[in-house]
Amino acid sequence: QRKNPFSSDDRLASKPAHAHRGDPTYGRPPEGSRTEQRGKDAHSHVGREVEELCLIIRRTGEVGEDGHVSVTFGQLFETYVTISNKVVGILLRARKHGLVHFEGEMLWQGKDDDVVITLL
């Protein structure tokens, strides 16, 4: 409708054209939109869950010789699953931010119960 010369909808004329790759606004919601606010809210919620996970690791884990707190995935899963069913996703996010370390790409309940998770 933006290119239609017979359209009299002024709202369309004021909207910017879609961003293209390389543009800093590409793939981002418009500033001030409800979509942007929902994204910010989700980001802060996940951040709080990561903090809570780190606190639980600190509480349930044991301090090793290197001074870092460690816990097995099985023990962490049993403790944290009563709080949230997103244990693995939150662990992956914490590792992405450099807060925890564990071997492997993904952790599976039962199979990886003995994998050690270290709080950095």
Side-chain angles (χ1 to χ4, degrees):
Q1 287 297 322
R2 185 186 326 275
K3 295 179 182 178
N4 184 347
F6 302 107
S7 177
S8 62
D9 194 345
D10 294 331
R11 293 177 300 154
L12 294 174
S14 65
K15 282 189 175 181
H18 291 295
H20 298 285
R21 288 183 194 256
D23 186 346
T25 62
Y26 180 77
R28 301 212 176 258
E31 268 189 60
S33 68
R34 289 178 27 197
T35 302
E36 181 189 38
Q37 187 57 47
R38 283 191 295 268
K40 287 179 180 179
D41 293 345
H43 183 75
S44 66
H45 177 74
V46 169
R48 285 191 303 273
E49 285 203 29
V50 167
E51 287 177 21
E52 185 176 11
L53 178 73
C54 291
L55 288 173
I56 290 173
I57 292 172
R58 186 173 289 125
R59 240 185 301 150
T60 61
E62 297 176 6
V63 179
E65 294 174 7
D66 59 357
H68 292 292
V69 178
S70 297
V71 65
T72 63
F73 176 64
Q75 183 182 0
L76 179 64
F77 188 89
E78 290 301 318
T79 304
Y80 194 76
V81 79
T82 59
I83 298 166
S84 174
N85 61 351
K86 302 179 284 278
V87 179
V88 176
I90 299 300
L91 270 171
L92 292 173
R93 177 64 64 105
R95 179 169 68 179
K96 179 180 175 182
H97 290 288
L99 300 173
V100 298
H101 172 75
F102 55 89
E103 295 297 321
E105 282 294 312
M106 181 66 78
L107 296 173
W108 303 96
Q109 183 186 12
K111 178 182 152 219
D112 294 319
D113 283 351
D114 296 328
V115 172
V116 176
I117 299 166
T118 305
L119 186 61
L120 302 175

